[in-house]
Amino acid sequence: MRGRRLSGPMFDAIAPIRMQRSRGAASVRLGPRGIEDLAQSGSAKAMLPRMTAGRPEIVFLNTAGGLASGDRLDYRIELAPRTQALATTQTAERAYRAKDAPAQIRLHLQVGEGGWLDWLPQETILYDGARLGRETAVDLAPGAGCLLLEPIILGRLAMGETIRHLQLTDRRIVRQDGRMIHHDALALDDAALSRLHHPAMLGKARAMASLALIAPHAADLLEPARAVLDEPGVIGAASAPPGRLILRLLAGDGWPLRRQVIRLLRVLRPDPLPRIWQV
């Protein structure tokens, strides 16, 4: 029997159901002697459980378990002059199918004079129908530097999911002493997806990553980085504009991509990997 809409005074007075949205914000300020301020609200948490090679390791966590339509996450790190830190995420971030407004992620990373930040999050997994807008803003003082990683996986590979609908805007901006020195943007939508697997674009790749090393010595690491771009199943390229080292990676699966990222990180930085990573 076909269902019918209930009507009448009792039912007409019921307001339409509004979906609950997740909101989270976490902010960490570190100085040479350790944590100076920690603030967190909603679904965002920041943990400082241990030191890695003498550096504080900041671990961000989204307790909502993923991002749906209209959700928002805000992460902020502020390092005082001559302060170094490593920041990562506890697990892969998931962007679920969204019917309405995109989910939003905003990251603001501020590094004081002579400081250093490694931002090494785990993968972002985009489900079919996901809508996500993300912006990473990095402000470096004179003499400061950073290493930025951004891995993305298109679909749940273990389930054989094929991405047919997607809206992604992903932008990273790095400023030093107020001057923009790096701008990296990625935009994907349904129209782009129809051309995405052309050999001149992603081909058969469903996982990708970008790394950006911002430092005066970045060009010195170009050849060592190219020397380890040989992980089976991964295509990689590296370039060294002034003051930067930029690497792009494509893979058919998330595990070869992670293995290649790990090999690169061991070349680009002397310190151990984030302890939270499952490797």
Side-chain angles (χ1 to χ4, degrees), residues 4 10 16 63-64 106 138 181 210 220 225 229 242 254 256 259:
R4 62 186 180 88
M10 180 177 66
T63 60
R106 294 291 182 267
V138 184
I181 59 172
S210 66
D220 298 337
L229 287 176
R259 288 195 298 267

Side-chain angles (χ1 to χ4, degrees), residues 189-225:
D189 57 17
D190 290 358
L193 284 175
S194 66
R195 305 184 298 271
L196 202 58
H197 298 297
H198 189 278
M201 298 183 73
L202 294 188
K204 296 181 180 181
R206 297 181 61 181
M208 65 187 85
S210 66
L211 292 97
L213 178 70
I214 313 296
H217 69 283
D220 298 337
L221 295 171
L222 176 61
E223 293 308 319

Side-chain angles (χ1 to χ4, degrees), residues 40-220:
Q40 49 193 13
S41 63
S43 63
K45 307 298 178 187
M47 301 175 290
L48 289 88
R50 57 178 64 89
M51 304 286 282
T52 299
R55 295 183 182 182
E57 181 176 311
I58 305 166
V59 180
F60 287 109
L61 169 64
N62 176 18
T63 60
L67 295 165
S69 180
D71 292 349
R72 177 164 178 141
L73 277 178
D74 289 272
Y75 293 145
R76 182 182 180 93
I77 299 172
E78 183 178 346
L79 302 184
R82 295 173 298 283
T83 301
Q84 300 184 357
L86 160 67
T88 184
T89 55
Q90 188 183 52
T91 187
E93 187 62 80
R94 291 164 172 81
Y96 301 120
R97 181 172 61 90
K99 290 185 177 180
D100 301 317
Q104 301 287 335
I105 300 177
R106 294 291 182 267
L107 300 102
H108 187 197
L109 313 175
Q110 184 173 339
V111 186
E113 186 172 358
W116 185 273
L117 176 65
D118 288 325
W119 171 241
L120 305 177
Q122 300 197 60
E123 297 86 354
T124 298
I125 303 175
L126 303 174
Y127 286 42
D128 186 31
R131 304 182 71 191
L132 176 64
R134 177 169 56 191
E135 182 171 307
T136 302
V138 184
D139 288 303
L140 303 175
C146 66
L147 174 60
L148 307 175
L149 167 67
E150 204 60 73
I152 295 175
I153 297 177
L154 301 177
R156 293 165 288 179
L157 302 181
M159 299 180 64
E161 181 179 46
T162 298
I163 298 291
R164 293 182 173 86
H165 302 285
L166 178 67
Q167 179 183 324
L168 171 68
T169 57
D170 193 11
R171 185 168 68 154
R172 286 169 293 281
I173 299 174
V174 180
R175 295 182 176 88
Q176 188 148 40
D177 199 20
R179 182 176 65 89
M180 183 183 296
I181 59 172
H182 180 64
H183 184 192
D184 190 9
L186 172 65
L188 295 175
D189 57 17
D190 290 358
L193 284 175
S194 66
R195 305 184 298 271
L196 202 58
H197 298 297
H198 189 278
M201 298 183 73
L202 294 188
K204 296 181 180 181
R206 297 181 61 181
M208 65 187 85
S210 66
L211 292 97
L213 178 70
I214 313 296
H217 69 283
D220 298 337

